[in-house]
Amino acid sequence: MKPPRESAARIGVLVRHNALLMLREPGPLLSRMILPLVFLTLLRPLYLAAQGPVAGTEQAVLGTLVTFSLLALSISGNAILTERLGRTWDRLRGTPLRPAELLAGKAIPVFAALLAQQLLIIGFGVGVFGLPLAHPFLLLAVLLTWTATLLALGTLIGVLVRSMGELSAAFDIGGMLLSSLGGALVPLSVLPAWVAAVAPASPGYWAVHGLHAALDGDTRTTATACATLLTVALLCAGLAAVRLQGRSGRLVAL
């Protein structure tokens, strides 16, 4: 059992290292920050025409947030896959690091990036388009649990795939599928009945459901959505940890 201070020091080193890697190649991160704002600006008039100013703005902002945050899963998966493809994973296996420490060191910078993307979209919607924000703490609770879900799901995919091509396909196809089934871009009420029936199987559904409830001040529905998202996050994180850990508790080859 490692002393808490020693473990925290190791995690701190990994956090700084992984944050530096992200900042050295900021292109993917910047695209995930800028593209949602462009998309929101161009598509919002369509939502206004279909749903009115208040509901249309809400649907445009939340739909953009969920869709592009799912596409930003690539940030999480890349953090692990680049280690594997760069042959640095074997070096990590030879260190005293535990899987939980490795995941924490990679997770913290990615969590911050994913949350920053969502806060930027919400802030843009509030500041530019006048999105009502009467219950910020409820909204923050959903954003935090949704970010944890994205992080865990991206990590799980990152330890399962074998190439950048597989990673790209998983995030592009999976992200759009989960977003569409969740009713992010198009409300479930106007989609075929079978989509509404299977929608709860998508984490994107609970994100959209929880975000709408948070803006409406519906505490019970918000809590249900947050609990569901947290359950998905814990399940994905547990599966990723099992994949990373052998019988001896050491990191395994991937």
Side-chain angles (χ1 to χ4, degrees):
M1 182 70 179
K2 291 182 173 64
R5 290 185 178 179
E6 180 182 348
S7 182
R10 294 179 188 276
I11 292 173
V13 171
L14 285 173
V15 168
R16 290 191 294 272
H17 171 70
N18 287 293
L20 182 60
L21 289 178
M22 289 176 60
L23 294 176
R24 281 181 174 174
E25 295 186 9
L29 184 60
L30 287 176
S31 69
R32 299 307 183 193
M33 297 291 182
I34 297 172
L35 285 179
L37 306 185
V38 176
F39 181 89
L40 173 57
T41 302
L42 295 177
L43 269 290
R44 178 173 170 267
L46 297 179
Y47 289 102
L48 295 183
Q51 298 178 281
V54 177
T57 296
E58 183 175 314
Q59 181 69 40
V61 173
L62 300 187
T64 299
L65 186 152
V66 173
T67 299
F68 279 88
S69 60
L70 278 167
L71 293 176
L73 280 171
S74 58
I75 299 174
S76 177
N78 272 324
I80 290 180
L81 188 58
T82 51
E83 295 277 10
R84 295 165 55 192
L85 297 180
R87 304 295 183 182
T88 54
W89 189 261
D90 290 337
R91 297 179 186 177
L92 291 173
R93 292 173 59 213
T95 69
L97 286 169
R98 292 184 179 275
E101 294 173 343
L102 174 62
L103 289 177
K106 290 190 171 296
I108 293 174
V110 176
F111 186 94
L114 292 172
L115 184 59
Q117 180 205 45
Q118 296 171 54
L119 292 175
L120 178 63
I121 295 171
I122 291 292
F124 188 78
V126 172
V128 178
F129 299 125
L131 177 72
L133 192 59
H135 307 279
F137 291 107
L138 287 180
L139 184 64
L140 182 60
V142 180
L143 293 180
L144 289 173
T145 51
W146 176 231
T147 303
T149 303
L150 292 170
L151 179 63
L153 182 58
T155 299
L156 178 60
I157 295 174
V159 302
L160 292 178
V161 300
R162 295 289 180 177
S163 68
M164 283 296 182
E166 291 183 10
L167 185 72
S168 178
F171 290 140
D172 290 343
I173 298 173
M176 290 305 299
L177 181 63
L178 293 178
S179 174
S180 300
L181 288 178
L185 292 178
V186 181
L188 293 175
S189 59
V190 300
L191 291 175
W194 69 266
V195 178
V198 302
S202 168
Y205 167 84
W206 295 102
V208 173
H209 201 51
L211 289 168
H212 280 293
L215 290 181
D216 293 338
D218 186 345
T219 303
R220 178 174 296 183
T221 303
T222 301
T224 300
C226 288
T228 304
L229 290 173
L230 186 59
T231 300
V232 174
L234 292 174
L235 177 61
C236 292
L239 291 174
V242 169
R243 179 70 178 89
L244 288 173
Q245 189 169 332
R247 294 180 180 178
S248 64
R250 302 288 295 165
L251 294 173
V252 299
L254 292 176

